[in-house]
């Protein structure tokens, strides 16, 4: 079954539709279509020849027919001619079948990209020269192109950079590089159709639906009903909420329930909850019957932008966080930002700390949005989750097993984990990371890695979001030391940090430097003053 809809790339000549269509189709493993090419193939004539013989109205009629014909094919990415949606029927049809992404580019860029080759484009032919014709065409269609909700400027962007922007616009992220490729889909309301997506995986339709007390009460009934209607046997496994239960004991309880529920090697574990449910369910799935498939349905902001991406699963030991685990990527991640409406504000803030982290690593637009504070984010959650998730997807793709680049994701975490543990998990993960980012950036400034003032900038954004930025008084120095000492990122007895140098430019992922070694006493001095 194919659940995806069409993606139509539209915009003026030279805006990069065909190149981007190829990039996206390869990435998404979707069919790639070019409407103008299909018109040429169907008629056996070139577009200039059609214009010559039938005029623009003849061409538009063929274009209309070709669009209808195209929609009978398996859904994919389609590059449309620059005037294909001037026709109101065509536009309605495209809107009904998928997403239209209108590419834009400044006139100078279009001139450069089109070069001299466009004497063959019928609408650019004329005595006044193709540049004057293009200018007039853009002017005439300005309002039309501006009327599309999803617009993407390809100015100054490579096909890959535009590609990531396009993936953010549709909220679908193919994740490759670690075992079987899988998709993360971020879409408001997707939990409603989760049963269709799960059925697409072709398992034996027995699932262990793992949730915690809170997500069981809020979301499990609806999901169970829809899964059952789709022919699934659902064994609901409820674990107590909270980090204190991300343990081997909880994992063992899950295994027992999987056995009782009749799960076998072709069954599916579905994790419905925050990072704790995801980590423990994924770990339980990794070891049950030597590994069965699982899907992640993250319901907290932190899980949507961070914990659900990257295939790390695991549990805590009394000695420290995440000390036991496995890389076991899910078969699919479905993130529904609508679930954030029930999330307590403290948990929302906790997730925003990871959003800020991703902003520092590779997307200044996230930092700008967060600098507006919580009120400024109202109505933008889907946008925010997509962009923040995209940063993590890009990082883990480049380094799935944490051999290098992936370490940048640990920014704020070396100190954050130690504080979380020293507070006996009274400080939430994201809150600890917020404090960790400020302290670690101060260390980066001292070491000359960060420009002066960066810690102040990050601190101001976190404060605006209502996150803590100072180490709470009363935390025991020895406990913090012990927390740092068991940090997984410690190698050969040295503490390794991922420290920012600045806030980077969108897409380059170069603003955090991994593997910075700092002696523990220096770190404690900065943490405890
Ligand atoms: P969490 O799972 O404990 O969820 C926080 C609280 O929100 C819980 O009480 C939960 O029941 C509740 N909740 C969840 N969804 C809700 C909803 N939609 N409405 C109302 N309440 C809801 O914590 P978290 O912040 O999601 O995740 C933190 C965990 O994630 C930590 O254990 C951390 O180590 C882990 N993590 C893992 C990775 C990874 O790569 N695997 C990355 C980052 C963090």
């Amino acid at each position: 079954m194919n659940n995806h809809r069409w993606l139509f790339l539209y915009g003026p000549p030279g805006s990069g539709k065909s190149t981007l269509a190829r990039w996206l189709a390869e990435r998404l493993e979707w069919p790639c279509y070019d409407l103008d090419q299909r018109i040429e193939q169907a008629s056996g004539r070139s577009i200039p020849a059609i214009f010559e013989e039938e005029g623009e109205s003849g061409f538009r009629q063929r274009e209309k027919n070709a669009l209808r014909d195209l929609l009978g094919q398996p859904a994919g990415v389609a590059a449309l001619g620059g005037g294909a949606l001037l026709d109101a029927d065509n536009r309605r049809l495209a809107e009904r079948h998928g997403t239209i992404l209108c590419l834009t580019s400044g006139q100078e860029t279009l001139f450069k990209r089109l070069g001299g080759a466009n004497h063959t484009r019928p609408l650019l032919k004329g005595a006044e020269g193709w540049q004057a014709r293009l200018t007039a065409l853009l002017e005439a269609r300005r309002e039309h192109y501006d009327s599309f909700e999803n617009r993407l400027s390809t100015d100054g962007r490579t096909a890959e950079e535009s590609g990531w922007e396009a993936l953010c616009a549709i909220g679908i992220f193919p994740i490759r590089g670690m075992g079987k490729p899988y998709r993360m889909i971020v879409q408001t309301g997707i939990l409603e159709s989760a049963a269709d997506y799960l059925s697409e995986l072709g398992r034996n339709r027995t699932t262990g639906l793992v949730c915690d007390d809170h997500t069981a009460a809020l979301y499990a009934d609806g999901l169970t009903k829809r899964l059952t209607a789709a022919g699934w046997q659902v064994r609901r496994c409820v674990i107590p909420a909270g980090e204190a239960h991300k343990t081997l004991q909880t994992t063992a309880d899950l295994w027992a329930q999987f056995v009782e529920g009749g799960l076998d090697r072709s069954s599916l574990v579905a994790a419905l909850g925050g990072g704790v449910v995801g980590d423990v369910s994924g770990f339980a799935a990794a070891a049950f019957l030597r590994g069965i498939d699982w899907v992640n349905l993250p319901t907290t902001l932190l899980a949507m932008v961070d914990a659900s991406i990257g295939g790390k699963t695991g549990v805590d030991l009394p000695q420290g966080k995440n000390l036991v685990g496995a890389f076991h990527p899910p078969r699919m991640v479905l993130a529904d930002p609508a679930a954030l409406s029930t999330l307590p504000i403290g948990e929302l803030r906790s997730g925003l700390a990871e959003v800020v982290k991703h902003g520092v690593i590779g997307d200044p637009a996230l930092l700008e949005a967060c600098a507006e504070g919580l009120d400024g984010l109202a109505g933008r959650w889907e946008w925010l989750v997509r962009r923040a998730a995209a940063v993590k997807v890009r990082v883990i793709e480049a380094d799935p097993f944490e051999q290098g680049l992936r370490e940048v994701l640990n920014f704020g975490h070396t100190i954050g984990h130690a504080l979380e543990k020293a507070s006996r998990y009274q400080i939430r993960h994201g809150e600890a990371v917020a404090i960790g980012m400020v302290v670690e950036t101060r260390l980066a400034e001292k070491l000359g890695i960060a420009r002066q003032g960066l810690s102040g900038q990050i601190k101001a954004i976190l404060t605006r979001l209502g996150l803590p930025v100072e180490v709470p008084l009363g935390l025991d120095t020895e406990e913090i030391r012990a927390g740092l000492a068991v940090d997984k990122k410690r190698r050969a007895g040295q503490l390794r940090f991922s420290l920012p140098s600045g806030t980077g430019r969108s897409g380059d992922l170069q603003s955090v430097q991994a593997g910075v070694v700092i002696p523990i006493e220096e770190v404690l001095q900065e943490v405890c003053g």
Side-chain angles (χ1 to χ4, degrees):
M1 189 182 156
N2 175 354
N3 267 309
H4 69 76
R5 285 156 53 80
W6 283 87
L7 173 60
F8 300 103
L9 300 183
Y10 188 53
S15 55
K17 291 166 293 190
S18 302
T19 312
L20 186 55
R22 282 193 297 274
W23 189 92
L24 284 165
E26 191 270 327
R27 202 68 208 189
L28 291 159
E29 297 183 23
W30 289 3
C32 186
Y33 305 95
D34 184 306
L35 196 65
D36 282 353
Q37 266 176 21
R38 289 177 70 85
I39 296 169
E40 293 189 325
Q41 278 158 6
S43 66
R45 280 177 298 163
S46 68
I47 295 204
I50 298 173
F51 265 78
E52 193 74 39
E53 290 156 31
E54 301 172 17
E56 185 174 354
S57 64
F59 170 76
R60 295 290 173 211
Q61 188 53 50
R62 286 182 180 276
E63 190 175 53
K64 200 167 187 146
N65 296 342
L67 181 63
R68 272 149 193 77
D69 179 63
L70 176 71
L71 295 174
Q73 306 298 312
V77 187
L80 304 180
L85 302 183
L86 286 163
D87 179 284
D89 289 342
N90 286 356
R91 182 170 179 168
R92 261 196 302 276
L93 202 61
E95 281 167 349
R96 196 162 353 114
H97 283 80
T99 304
I100 302 167
L101 190 57
C102 185
L103 308 188
T104 63
S105 282
Q107 198 165 290
E108 287 309 312
T109 310
L110 296 181
F111 284 163
K112 215 184 296 163
R113 288 204 194 123
L114 291 171
N118 289 280
H119 308 300
T120 59
R121 290 184 192 236
L123 291 177
L124 301 186
K125 266 168 97 175
E128 64 273 52
W130 68 271
Q131 283 159 311
R133 295 279 296 182
L134 179 62
T135 307
L137 187 90
L138 290 176
E139 196 44 48
R141 291 184 184 167
R142 181 189 308 277
E143 224 175 276
H144 170 64
Y145 290 138
D146 284 351
S147 70
F148 289 89
E149 191 188 331
N150 292 310
R151 291 194 301 281
L152 163 58
S153 166
T154 56
D155 262 346
R157 288 190 164 120
T158 62
E160 179 167 357
E161 285 165 355
S162 296
W164 281 101
E165 292 290 329
L167 293 177
C168 285
I170 58 172
I172 303 178
F173 303 100
I175 304 181
R176 313 191 285 206
M178 184 191 275
K180 282 185 201 146
Y182 60 101
R183 273 177 305 160
M184 173 181 199
I185 306 180
V186 181
Q187 201 176 293
T188 304
I190 200 163
L191 269 183
E192 302 280 329
S193 25
D196 295 340
Y197 284 96
L198 264 53
S199 301
E200 204 184 286
L201 295 173
R203 311 311 293 160
N204 71 358
R205 301 209 175 199
T206 305
T207 181
L209 175 62
V210 184
C211 22
D212 68 17
D213 312 315
H214 300 141
T215 57
L218 287 162
Y219 298 106
D221 284 349
L223 183 59
T224 304
K225 210 161 105 193
R226 288 186 289 274
L227 281 167
T228 311
W232 287 79
Q233 301 267 1
V234 180
R235 165 79 193 200
R236 193 180 301 181
C237 312
V238 183
I239 65 172
E243 183 73 31
H245 301 282
K246 200 174 108 175
T247 59
L248 284 172
Q249 184 54 54
T250 305
T251 315
D253 291 345
L254 283 179
W255 286 327
Q257 295 188 60
F258 293 169
V259 173
E260 281 164 27
L263 269 65
D264 64 24
R265 295 201 69 177
S266 58
S267 302
L268 189 71
V269 170
L272 176 69
V276 167
V277 170
D279 277 9
V280 80
S281 310
F283 181 55
F288 186 67
L289 305 176
R290 297 196 179 80
I292 67 169
D293 284 348
W294 72 295
V295 293
N296 203 341
L297 312 173
T299 59
T300 63
L301 179 60
L302 189 138
M304 290 182 196
V305 301
D306 190 356
S308 68
I309 310 165
K312 278 189 188 176
T313 70
V315 296
D316 305 332
L317 292 183
Q319 292 81 356
K321 255 182 80 78
N322 299 329
L323 289 182
V324 178
F327 281 107
H328 187 52
R331 291 291 311 282
M332 190 180 274
V333 181
L334 303 177
D336 186 347
L340 301 179
S341 63
T342 55
L343 198 63
I345 184 91
E347 299 300 343
L348 202 60
R349 290 200 165 107
S350 182
L352 282 167
E354 301 285 4
V355 173
V356 170
K357 182 190 81 178
H358 291 180
V360 174
I361 291 172
D363 192 350
L366 286 171
L367 294 179
E368 275 166 38
C370 288
E372 299 290 310
L374 262 176
D375 291 345
L377 296 173
R380 303 188 72 193
W381 292 108
E382 186 181 77
W383 174 89
L384 190 92
V385 172
R386 287 176 177 181
R387 291 201 77 91
V391 172
K392 179 145 182 191
V393 171
R394 273 162 39 214
V395 171
I396 59 144
E397 257 204 14
D399 177 22
F401 296 104
E402 202 161 321
Q403 301 299 305
L405 180 69
R406 188 167 172 162
E407 276 191 59
V408 301
L409 297 167
N410 293 329
F411 169 44
H413 283 61
T414 308
I415 288 174
H417 278 164
L419 297 178
E420 214 179 340
K421 180 156 188 300
S423 78
R424 315 226 158 175
Y425 302 108
Q426 293 309 299
I427 306 179
R428 289 189 182 90
H429 180 73
E431 293 168 343
V433 169
I435 303 167
M437 284 192 287
V438 174
V439 179
E440 291 183 12
T441 309
R442 281 207 304 262
L443 283 166
E445 285 172 354
K446 284 197 173 149
L447 291 169
I449 293 171
R451 59 173 166 75
Q452 293 302 313
L454 185 63
S455 64
Q457 189 192 340
I458 293 172
K459 187 172 170 177
I461 296 171
L462 295 166
T463 307
R464 191 89 172 75
L465 294 169
L467 280 157
V469 289
E470 306 286 350
V471 178
L473 296 173
L475 285 191
D476 186 79
T477 308
E478 285 317 304
E479 298 231 16
I480 298 174
R481 181 197 298 276
L484 286 168
V486 295
D487 192 273
K488 288 199 292 359
K489 294 166 282 299
R490 196 170 56 100
R491 286 202 199 140
Q494 294 192 303
L495 282 178
R496 288 161 60 84
F497 285 82
S498 298
L499 301 180
S501 53
T503 51
R505 123 180 212 292
S506 185
D508 71 5
L509 306 176
Q510 298 296 314
S511 57
V512 172
Q513 186 180 322
V516 181
V517 173
I518 311 178
I520 195 162
E521 292 310 323
E522 245 172 74
V523 177
L524 277 170
Q525 176 61 33
E526 196 58 52
V527 176
C528 304

